[in-house]
Amino acid sequence: MNEPDATKLQNPTQRRAFVVVQRGDARMEVVELPATGMVTIGRAPGNHIVVADPKCSRHHCELFYRAGQWHVRDLESRNGIALDGERVVGEQPLDYGQTMKIGAYSLLFTDSHPDDRDDGQLTKTVFGATSSSFEIIERKSGTLYDDPSGMHRIHGGNEGATELFRLARAMAATTDESRLAAIVMDGLIGFTQASMGGVLISPPGDDEVRIDSLQPGAVYGSRKASDFSTYLTNIALRDRDAILAHDISKHSSLSKQESLNELEAESAICAPVRHGEEILGVIHLYSVDSDSPLSQPHLEFVLAVADQMGDQLHALREKMELAEGLDRVRRHVSDLQDQLQAETELVGHSKSLEDVRRSIARVSPTDALVLIRGESGVGKELVARALHFNSLRKDGPFVCVNCAALTESLLESELFGHEKGAFTGAAGKRAGKFEQAHGGTLFLDEIGEMSPEIQAKFLRVLEGQPFERVGGGEPITVDVRVVTATNRNLEEAVREKQFRRDLFFRLQVIEISVPPLREHPEDIAAIAQHFVQRFATQSHRRCRGFTSAAIKKLTSHSWPGNVRELRNVVERAVILANSEVLEPADVVLTNLALEETDDPRPDSMKGTEPEIPVDTAVDPELDLWGSFIQQNMSLDDIDRLYIEAVLQSTDWNKSAAARILQIERTTLDRRLKKYGTSRPGDENDEDDL
């Protein structure tokens, strides 16, 4: 239940009492003392009267009414309090007209409000201007609501605390800035009974709040937000304090402010919406009724609400940024998933590829171990991805490890993880690929290159046994489907005791053999066209496909590097081509032959040319001079022209060119020196980074 208002308990025979707080000639505030109760004075924000002086203790002294008279009691302050020049010891009664001194502050105890007098004896500096009469502008940087110990000293009993709690709950429940501003405005109007007001908010992302950038979040009354006082806004933003101005029409420096004059306001409050060092907006309240002005308790309440709003507004904007960031991440993940899904597409319609597709379709829904066999570059990882994305684990991670790319010690750490300090360079604990693939698929490429020691530990995991990180002792169990791949003859490796027999039989549950490209040349045209569309999109080139002569050149090649080699040939052609249709001259092939035979095609195909699908030839009428180039230019000439074309496309950025050519930068420099090639107009061949 709310405590009764102190003004209603005022004894009709009791004289009113005020404390006028001054610092030099500047009046800081005027506080009317309640008829009952206690008023504390100190440096802490929780005090009823805050004295911001270094010589003032956090809880310096208190005023209390007893036996028909007000008293002052020193609260064992460090520097004490002087009453008319005499230090107060313990408690001492107060007489009207006496002055208490705390540091540089003077507190006049009087029975009349200073504005009711017209003696002109006191002067005050108002923001650098001196006036012969009091011009009431009170400031607050902290409130009684900030200190729980000061809540019982709030004017009006518990009403302010109850309303602040209700408002805080309503603010915390909203997820919209406009709704937040409306809740704050409704609560402030209800508590202060102001005639008009508004909440102005700075746009998100503004490093510094400017008056012209403030946007109305909520407005109450007949006035627009643009009518509010820029004079008070400037003060609140500059000093980060809440401002109370009253008796505006009676005093020159306030009444002459055009915005306040047009509003016909008798009192006003302007409070910054703060969060830490940030200011996110301002709150304006105005009263046009001189009989019901905005007061110091209202100032306390408004500043407390403004600070609460600042915290909530900051939290809302953080959530919005996080949501936007999460949305960007989700879009990126979706794009990557689409790309990965595209990577699982086996392009071509030959019988051998159809057999691979049928095997994938049968095996994918199971958790059976799969061993993928095939030459280097045939697309074994592509098959592994297809197995994953067509399985029940497709929403889980797909983790790849190339066993041939790591040393024995590094491979063990990569697969099983390590503890901090397990070896030199192990600065922290790290989860291995098995843990990272939990709930998904782990693809181990080049499984035949795994050392016997790692094979033993790997076999235990395949048998469902827990494993330990390198340097650790805690058993770890994971739920992972394992897919392996190799281009080695594992049977021969077993006979030569380079591969464990028991591991071989454990891996040989399901085998999928991926044929080399030379065994299904009828798919070359479709695969090449697939790569053209992909690389044209990625490199923003207008390239539509191949001429029939270019397709013939592709299909007659032995492709020792299989699909990987075809992919690189097409990418190079798309980047360097001068026309939308790729011609034989754009197709640069390797002279590297297979080791076993000069013609690796099946006997049935030797001496014949593969059939070229008509629908893959973009322009069968085009005839090119590719054969002329092949007959009249050396490989060095082709290499030189190719390098020069790449350098021109990168504006002679050698580092970028080396990446496109897939060679070392030093190798590029040696070739340029060999061919005597330099940047046009640059005899010194300076580095271009």
Side-chain angles (χ1 to χ4, degrees):
M1 185 173 69
N2 292 340
E3 294 181 4
D5 190 350
T7 58
K8 296 180 180 179
L9 296 177
Q10 189 84 31
N11 189 328
T13 63
Q14 180 182 334
R15 296 167 65 181
R16 297 172 69 190
F18 300 87
V19 173
V20 181
V21 183
Q22 291 184 219
R23 190 177 188 278
D25 291 336
R27 181 169 10 134
M28 309 306 293
E29 61 178 321
V30 178
V31 178
E32 182 175 1
L33 303 181
T36 59
M38 185 181 298
V39 175
T40 62
I41 302 172
R43 195 176 70 253
N47 290 285
H48 183 218
I49 299 177
V50 178
V51 176
D53 190 284
K55 292 187 177 182
C56 181
S57 300
R58 289 182 56 81
H59 299 286
H60 199 93
C61 62
E62 61 186 9
L63 308 179
F64 61 92
Y65 189 79
R66 187 178 64 196
Q69 189 170 14
W70 280 94
H71 297 71
V72 59
R73 178 189 293 128
D74 185 23
L75 298 177
E76 299 182 358
S77 62
R78 180 185 297 273
N79 297 300
I81 179 171
L83 181 62
D84 285 347
E86 298 291 332
R87 179 159 181 158
V88 173
V89 179
E91 62 182 59
Q92 190 168 326
L94 288 172
D95 293 329
Y96 294 112
Q98 287 187 301
T99 300
M100 295 167 281
K101 187 77 171 176
I102 302 176
Y105 281 72
S106 298
L107 292 83
L108 173 64
F109 179 67
T110 179
D111 60 348
S112 61
H113 196 288
D115 288 340
D116 295 335
R117 296 158 47 184
D118 194 21
D119 52 16
Q121 293 178 358
L122 298 176
T123 61
K124 176 195 176 203
T125 301
V126 183
F127 311 122
T130 301
S131 173
S132 61
S133 61
F134 286 120
E135 300 195 1
I136 305 300
I137 295 185
E138 301 180 23
R139 300 167 176 261
K140 277 287 182 183
S141 58
T143 74
L144 288 168
Y145 299 94
D146 299 333
D147 184 1
S149 64
M151 294 294 284
H152 69 280
R153 298 189 295 274
I154 297 172
H155 287 291
N158 293 330
E159 181 182 353
T162 302
E163 182 64 16
L164 179 61
F165 178 72
R166 186 190 68 80
L167 265 177
R169 290 192 62 183
M171 284 189 276
T174 186
T175 58
D176 179 77
E177 288 190 14
S178 298
R179 179 59 184 157
L180 174 64
I183 290 172
V184 169
M185 197 72 258
D186 290 345
L188 292 179
I189 293 297
F191 185 80
T192 64
Q193 298 300 306
S195 307
M196 67 191 83
V199 178
L200 307 182
I201 303 174
S202 65
D206 273 15
D207 295 331
E208 184 178 350
V209 179
R210 303 184 312 276
I211 292 180
D212 57 355
S213 69
L214 292 172
Q215 303 295 325
V219 177
Y220 172 81
S222 59
R223 296 286 186 169
K224 297 181 296 184
S226 57
D227 296 332
F228 297 159
S229 172
T230 56
Y231 174 71
L232 295 181
T233 299
N234 272 321
I235 297 171
L237 295 180
R238 181 191 66 198
D239 299 336
R240 302 175 55 82
D241 289 339
I243 307 299
L244 167 63
H246 49 82
D247 296 319
I248 294 173
S249 63
K250 298 179 182 178
H251 306 294
S252 58
S253 66
L254 294 181
S255 60
K256 71 182 181 182
Q257 299 299 324
E258 184 177 348
S259 54
L260 290 172
N261 189 33
E262 290 180 356
L263 289 171
E264 299 178 347
E266 283 297 320
S267 56
I269 289 177
C270 183
V273 178
R274 306 176 299 193
H275 173 76
E277 297 300 318
E278 290 183 274
I279 295 183
L280 305 177
V282 291
I283 294 174
H284 282 264
L285 291 172
Y286 300 93
S287 176
V288 299
D289 187 356
S290 58
D291 295 330
S292 181
L294 298 171
S295 62
Q296 197 272 344
H298 294 147
L299 180 64
E300 296 261 5
F301 184 81
V302 172
L303 181 56
V305 172
D307 285 344
Q308 184 71 29
M309 178 186 178
D311 293 341
Q312 181 64 16
L313 184 58
H314 177 79
L316 284 179
R317 291 184 173 179
E318 272 197 333
K319 289 180 181 178
M320 184 180 299
E321 290 179 4
L322 288 173
E324 291 175 352
L326 182 59
D327 187 54
R328 287 193 297 270
V329 170
R330 284 172 175 166
R331 290 198 300 269
H332 182 60
V333 169
S334 178
D335 292 341
L336 290 177
Q337 288 176 337
D338 291 343
Q339 293 177 21
L340 289 173
Q341 195 69 32
E343 290 290 340
T344 66
E345 297 177 1
L346 296 175
V347 179
H349 298 284
S350 63
K351 181 181 182 302
S352 56
L353 278 189
E354 289 298 333
D355 291 341
V356 172
R357 288 195 186 94
R358 282 193 292 270
S359 298
I360 292 173
R362 286 194 298 267
V363 176
S364 292
T366 72
D367 275 348
L369 280 169
V370 178
L371 175 62
I372 305 172
R373 295 200 181 202
E375 296 179 4
S376 179
V378 295
K380 296 187 290 295
E381 183 176 338
L382 186 67
V383 174
R385 290 183 184 276
L387 287 168
H388 172 73
F389 286 105
N390 288 280
S391 73
L392 300 178
R393 296 174 176 265
K394 62 182 179 181
D395 294 327
F398 178 79
V399 180
C400 300
V401 180
N402 189 333
C403 299
L406 301 170
T407 63
E408 177 182 333
S409 58
L410 288 178
L411 179 58
E412 183 179 11
S413 172
E414 189 75 8
L415 289 176
F416 307 110
H418 62 255
E419 298 290 342
K420 181 179 180 181
F423 50 83
T424 302
K429 181 172 69 174
R430 181 176 182 274
K433 298 300 185 183
F434 270 102
E435 292 179 72
Q436 296 175 27
H438 181 72
T441 303
L442 176 62
F443 173 57
L444 300 178
D445 198 7
E446 306 298 346
I447 189 70
E449 306 301 324
M450 188 179 287
S451 69
E453 291 76 10
I454 306 298
Q455 291 176 29
K457 193 170 183 179
F458 177 47
L459 178 60
R460 282 181 53 83
V461 180
L462 292 183
E463 295 292 349
Q465 299 296 323
F467 63 90
E468 298 172 357
R469 298 191 186 101
V470 178
E474 179 185 354
I476 300 171
T477 304
V478 293
D479 174 24
V480 173
R481 180 186 190 176
V482 176
V483 177
T484 60
T486 184
N487 61 2
R488 289 187 60 183
N489 187 328
L490 291 184
E491 290 84 355
E492 182 178 346
V494 170
R495 287 192 295 270
E496 295 176 355
K497 300 188 182 304
Q498 295 178 354
F499 199 82
R500 292 178 63 104
R501 179 183 297 270
D502 49 0
L503 178 58
F504 171 76
F505 288 119
R506 184 68 184 88
L507 293 176
Q508 201 180 31
V509 177
I510 301 291
E511 278 195 15
I512 297 179
S513 296
V514 184
L517 187 57
R518 61 182 175 273
E519 292 184 5
H520 54 109
E522 61 270 34
D523 292 326
I524 290 177
I527 297 172
Q529 185 64 29
H530 170 77
F531 286 137
V532 165
Q533 294 172 354
R534 178 196 296 181
F535 296 127
T537 300
Q538 291 179 359
S539 59
H540 307 288
R541 303 297 301 272
R542 298 183 62 183
C543 191
R544 294 186 288 117
F546 295 88
T547 64
S548 58
I551 292 293
K552 184 177 181 179
K553 184 176 180 179
L554 290 173
T555 54
S556 62
H557 185 58
S558 61
W559 298 110
N562 292 295
V563 179
R564 182 184 292 122
E565 180 187 0
L566 175 59
R567 178 188 185 278
N568 294 338
V569 167
V570 175
E571 182 177 12
R572 185 186 304 120
V574 169
I575 293 174
L576 300 178
N578 294 319
S579 61
E580 295 184 18
V581 180
L582 299 177
E583 304 170 350
D586 298 316
V587 178
V588 180
L589 303 173
T590 180
N591 286 332
L592 181 65
L594 294 174
E595 295 180 358
E596 297 181 359
T597 176
D598 292 336
D599 189 354
R601 291 179 295 168
D603 293 339
S604 60
M605 296 188 61
K606 291 181 180 180
T608 64
E609 295 298 337
E611 181 181 353
I612 302 173
V614 176
D615 58 354
T616 60
V618 177
D619 189 354
E621 300 298 329
L622 288 176
D623 190 15
L624 302 170
W625 42 276
S627 59
F628 174 80
I629 292 178
Q630 289 182 326
Q631 294 172 6
N632 294 278
M633 297 185 69
S634 67
L635 289 176
D636 282 349
D637 291 334
I638 295 175
D639 188 41
R640 176 178 56 79
L641 291 174
Y642 176 42
I643 291 174
E644 289 177 356
V646 173
L647 286 168
Q648 290 174 6
S649 69
T650 62
D651 194 24
W652 277 78
N653 186 316
K654 294 180 182 178
S655 298
R659 286 194 295 271
I660 294 175
L661 294 167
Q662 298 184 2
I663 61 177
E664 296 292 333
R665 167 66 187 272
T666 54
T667 303
L668 176 60
D669 288 333
R670 285 198 301 271
R671 290 189 185 179
L672 292 176
K673 185 176 180 180
K674 172 184 176 182
Y675 300 141
T677 302
S678 61
R679 188 173 187 169
D682 188 357
E683 297 299 330
N684 296 324
D685 192 22
E686 294 291 340
D687 192 13
D688 53 338
L689 294 178

